[in-house]
Amino acid sequence: MPNDTAPTGAADLALIEAHIRDVPDFPHEGILFKDITPLLNHREALAAAVAGLAAPYRGIGVDHVVGLEARGFIFGAPVAMELGAGFVPARKAGKLPAKTIDQAYDLEYGTATVEIHADAITPGGRVLIVDDVLATGGTGRAAVELVRKAGGTVVGFSVLMELSALQGREKLPDVEPHTLLSV
Ligand code: AMP
């Protein structure tokens, strides 16, 4: 059952946390991967996650939800439906078929690029960015710059889980990320 508009309570957060699986050394040695697939496959946990991601942004006017490839797509589309907004996929370079706007960002080794379609954001459109995990904040920072380049106003950044030791939040002082869980 979809949740109502109540803020996500402690029981919901415990349910969400219980369905995120830690996978050590994936995809590389030393990385503790936060696997959300058990959560996606549990209807109450999934509903609680979507409701919790959307809750702070109800009634503030959101025109577009931008979801970050790939797990941000899974949460972003239902969050957009809950908020009465459209959904915009932000993809890795070369995946979107029409004219794009892009933003490069630094990885540990090298750089990566995120793209959205150039006509995806209405001028001055109010945008919520959604992803599953906030780690170093590099992807999130690039997404914020990308939305601004596209003429949108970032009104929020909603993430399921924050890996607080990596201090990604410090790269996003201007958007104050909303995170359901902090580990
Ligand atoms: P970052 O740019 O470092 O904040 O990384 C954020 C992106 O990488 C998100 O799209 C996450 O899905 C993914 N990510 C980073 N670290 C992890 C992790 N430990 N477990 C799962 N996903 C991760």
Side-chain angles (χ1 to χ4, degrees):
M1 288 280 285
N3 277 15
D4 59 20
T5 57
T8 312
D12 285 331
L13 294 179
L15 185 69
I16 293 166
E17 190 160 24
H19 291 87
I20 297 175
R21 172 167 55 194
D22 284 352
V23 182
D25 299 323
F26 182 88
H28 306 292
E29 205 179 322
I31 303 286
L32 184 62
F33 193 84
K34 297 292 179 181
D35 176 19
I36 56 151
T37 62
L39 184 154
L40 298 177
N41 202 16
H42 187 282
R43 62 182 174 179
E44 288 89 0
L46 177 59
V50 170
L53 288 167
Y57 307 102
R58 288 183 193 281
I60 69 158
V62 175
D63 300 307
H64 312 276
V65 172
V66 168
L68 306 184
E69 184 169 356
R71 291 176 296 272
F73 295 174
I74 301 169
F75 294 110
V79 166
M81 292 183 70
E82 290 226 4
L83 296 176
F87 176 74
V88 176
R91 301 213 59 182
K92 291 165 186 155
K95 300 283 188 184
L96 289 168
K99 186 169 180 241
T100 57
I101 297 176
D102 62 27
Q103 177 69 44
Y105 62 103
D106 291 332
L107 296 174
E108 195 177 353
Y109 302 103
T111 61
T113 302
V114 276
E115 298 184 338
I116 56 174
H117 274 143
D119 61 358
I121 308 290
T122 50
R126 292 168 61 80
V127 177
L128 171 65
I129 300 169
V130 170
D131 204 0
D132 65 336
V133 172
L134 175 61
T136 66
T139 312
R141 185 73 248 161
V144 170
E145 299 307 328
L146 183 62
V147 167
R148 290 181 179 158
K149 222 186 243 187
T153 300
V154 179
V155 297
F157 192 105
S158 198
V159 178
L160 200 62
M161 177 172 277
E162 173 177 6
L163 308 181
S164 54
L166 298 177
Q167 300 180 324
R169 181 173 285 276
E170 289 184 7
K171 288 209 183 81
L172 300 162
D174 47 341
V175 294
E176 291 185 32
H178 162 66
T179 57
L180 292 177
L181 302 170
S182 183
V183 296

